[in-house]
Amino acid sequence: MEKSPECLYCQRNDLQKSLMIQICDLSVSTLFLFKEQSHPGRCVVAYKDHVNELFELSESDRNAYMADVCRVASAMQKAFSPTKINYGAYSDKLGHLHFHLVPKYKDEFEFGGTFEMNPQKIYLSDTGYAEIIEKIASCL
């Protein structure tokens, strides 16, 4: 398993823990709840090893990773019934393959546009995070 000493996702350091909460490991990735919850239920699916691009994966690993992403999106749909789920995989400044899954709702924050990476508007209590994690986990 390849890890990078400078990578937020590989090292699971304090910065990473300040931004997200680990929910569970999936087949080839880890699911995190993004702490900033302007989009209720927003998650990150990070690939298990340190790769930057989707094309760097073997066909079987790529299919398994995308199956993980789809599994989380399906759970989000069941748990929160969003109008649309946005997928973001930019990695310009953080070279580790990960997708942001952002549930969006008609007539609510940023619907019809690109989601802001970290609007820093809505943070929850530990109980609030636990409730969202339970909703997602129960639908996986």
Side-chain angles (χ1 to χ4, degrees):
M1 209 182 249
E2 188 179 330
K3 300 290 180 193
S4 169
E6 298 86 32
C7 177
L8 179 95
Y9 289 102
C10 290
Q11 298 308 312
R12 309 282 172 95
N13 60 23
D14 289 339
L15 175 59
Q16 190 254 358
K17 290 173 184 166
S18 75
L19 296 170
M20 58 197 75
I21 302 166
Q22 184 172 335
I23 296 176
C24 65
D25 288 322
L26 301 169
S27 69
V28 295
S29 60
T30 302
L31 174 60
F32 298 93
L33 182 70
F34 199 68
K35 283 189 176 179
E36 202 292 325
Q37 286 287 294
S38 290
H39 299 285
R42 179 178 176 174
C43 290
V44 174
V45 181
Y47 188 68
K48 66 177 180 164
D49 293 329
H50 190 78
V51 297
N52 191 33
E53 302 290 349
L54 196 54
F55 66 76
E56 294 176 37
L57 301 178
S58 68
E59 183 177 3
S60 62
D61 284 343
R62 182 185 66 241
N63 290 343
Y65 178 66
M66 293 311 294
D68 284 352
V69 170
C70 289
R71 181 178 173 199
V72 173
S74 178
M76 291 172 82
Q77 187 65 44
K78 290 174 192 166
F80 305 108
S81 301
T83 306
K84 178 70 175 99
I85 298 172
N86 286 183
Y87 303 82
Y90 309 113
S91 298
D92 293 1
K93 294 182 181 178
L94 177 59
H96 186 111
L97 179 60
H98 65 286
F99 273 55
H100 290 260
L101 277 65
V102 183
K104 296 186 61 190
Y105 304 86
K106 188 170 174 41
D107 301 323
E108 291 189 19
F109 183 60
E110 296 182 325
F111 190 81
T114 305
F115 65 88
E116 189 176 339
M117 191 52 63
N118 189 355
Q120 299 184 14
K121 293 178 187 264
I122 299 177
Y123 292 89
L124 308 176
S125 66
D126 289 346
T127 302
Y129 290 126
E131 288 171 0
I132 290 176
I133 289 169
E134 177 52 37
K135 278 185 178 181
I136 294 167
S138 71
C139 294
L140 284 172

